[in-house]
Amino acid sequence: MDCLDLAKQYLDAWNAQDAEAIVATFAADGIYADPNGKHTGKAIGANAQRLWNAFPDLSFEVVSLGTTGPGIVMAEWIMRGTNTADFQGLPPTGRTVTLPGIDVFHIAEDGIKSVQGYFDSKVVPEQLGLQILVQPFQLGPFAFGYSVSASSGKQTKPGAFSVTSIWNKDEHTEEIRNLSRETAKEMLQMEGLIGVSMFRNGNRGVTISAWEKPEQTRQLMSGGTHGQAMRRFWEGLGDAAYTSVWVPHHINPLWVRCAACGQMSDYDKNAGACHCGATLPEPPAYF
């Protein structure tokens, strides 16, 4: 098949959302790569399917298509799609994205040897309204990462903290993130849960949850996604982990700044009133 025809067949398969047809255009050792990663074999089709799942109306407008040398084809395209389903573990935003890019094909008699995609990897997250954080992984003794938290809205002082740490290889990170996120959703429905925070630094993930009473942390052991995560851990997900329950030694007063006079007041001791007589702003949750 002519190189241009094969490249067009590949692009048409994307617009037809036909994963098998995409994979069929590649040679047995063919590789697809872009700023987000590299894939071979059936993983090429699985990568496309993940995008279609998140953007069901995904389409590519081919702006130009031509050869630049023997067996080399370049395609300029514009990708468009509306995010109506989970994307990389995040809930749908309902926003539409427009991403320009270029694919460079290396094609042989047995099919596509490689497709190298070039595009700005920040465009889609920015158009979806997502934060983009640029920082080192490690700087001296400090490890950098990201965090997420959710609160039940309760003003209760924590009576216990559950702390879980897990260390894992890079290839396990996405599954652990998804399991942690689903577990947190279920925890928000549990009795006594005040709030939960999760953070990841390098190859370590940590979940800290605040509860009204220590015994309420046992609800995590009753099954659900947390139970599934524990089974996956014993099956081989992660390299090391521990769980623990901590009871506060003491909790200092919650100080709130008065909007009228600018002074700090002990919210509980003063029953929500400032020394100046003004009503204090609503305090944040303890966790």
Side-chain angles (χ1 to χ4, degrees):
M1 182 181 291
D2 178 80
C3 289
L4 275 176
D5 289 340
L6 189 58
K8 186 176 184 301
Q9 181 178 321
Y10 166 87
L11 293 165
D12 287 344
W14 267 96
N15 281 327
Q17 298 197 2
D18 188 336
E20 290 186 3
I22 290 175
V23 175
T25 63
F26 282 82
D29 58 349
I31 297 172
Y32 171 83
D34 64 26
N36 294 324
K38 182 183 294 185
H39 308 280
T40 60
K42 292 183 178 180
I44 296 173
N47 177 62
Q49 188 62 58
R50 281 192 292 271
L51 272 177
W52 296 329
N53 290 343
F55 302 87
D57 62 346
L58 190 78
S59 67
F60 286 86
E61 175 191 345
V62 180
V63 178
S64 64
L65 181 67
T67 58
T68 60
I72 302 176
V73 176
M74 181 176 292
E76 180 186 3
W77 45 259
I78 300 174
M79 184 192 84
R80 297 182 176 88
T82 306
N83 178 217
T84 58
D86 288 1
F87 177 58
Q88 295 182 351
L90 299 173
T93 64
R95 298 190 181 190
T96 297
V97 299
T98 302
L99 174 69
I102 291 173
D103 282 341
V104 178
F105 299 79
H106 288 261
I107 300 174
E109 292 184 0
D110 57 342
I112 297 173
K113 289 294 187 181
S114 69
V115 176
Q116 178 64 57
Y118 296 93
F119 54 82
D120 186 343
S121 60
K122 300 192 302 296
V123 169
V124 169
E126 286 177 344
Q127 292 183 0
L128 292 178
L130 304 177
Q131 296 183 58
I132 299 174
L133 187 64
V134 179
Q135 59 186 8
F137 287 104
Q138 190 83 29
L139 190 61
F142 300 99
F144 296 82
Y146 51 84
S147 63
V148 62
S149 63
S151 174
S152 66
K154 295 178 180 178
Q155 300 291 335
T156 318
K157 288 183 179 180
F161 293 92
S162 173
V163 180
T164 298
S165 284
I166 184 168
W167 291 261
N168 63 274
K169 298 179 178 64
D170 287 345
E171 58 264 30
H172 291 161
T173 296
E174 189 62 27
E175 183 178 358
I176 290 172
R177 286 178 60 190
N178 291 337
L179 288 168
S180 298
R181 189 177 295 111
E182 291 304 312
T183 298
K185 290 179 183 178
E186 294 172 6
M187 288 168 65
L188 287 171
Q189 308 304 316
M190 293 180 182
E191 181 184 0
L193 190 280
I194 297 172
V196 58
S197 293
M198 299 176 288
F199 63 86
R200 172 163 285 277
N201 286 342
N203 68 341
R204 182 190 184 192
V206 180
T207 299
I208 303 175
S209 55
W211 303 79
E212 294 175 345
K213 302 175 182 178
E215 57 268 24
Q216 291 167 333
T217 63
R218 296 171 187 164
Q219 295 172 86
L220 290 170
M221 308 308 295
S222 61
T225 305
H226 187 269
Q228 177 186 346
M230 293 296 294
R231 289 192 295 273
R232 288 290 296 119
F233 174 73
W234 295 115
E235 291 168 359
L237 182 66
D239 299 323
Y242 78 88
T243 62
S244 57
V245 176
W246 300 66
V247 177
H249 180 276
H250 67 277
I251 297 179
N252 289 327
L254 177 59
W255 295 89
V256 176
R257 189 174 302 280
C258 177
C261 70
Q263 298 300 308
M264 300 294 286
S265 292
D266 181 334
Y267 189 90
D268 290 336
K269 182 179 179 180
N270 298 314
C274 178
H275 298 292
C276 73
T279 300
L280 293 171
E282 186 73 16
Y286 278 87
F287 197 82

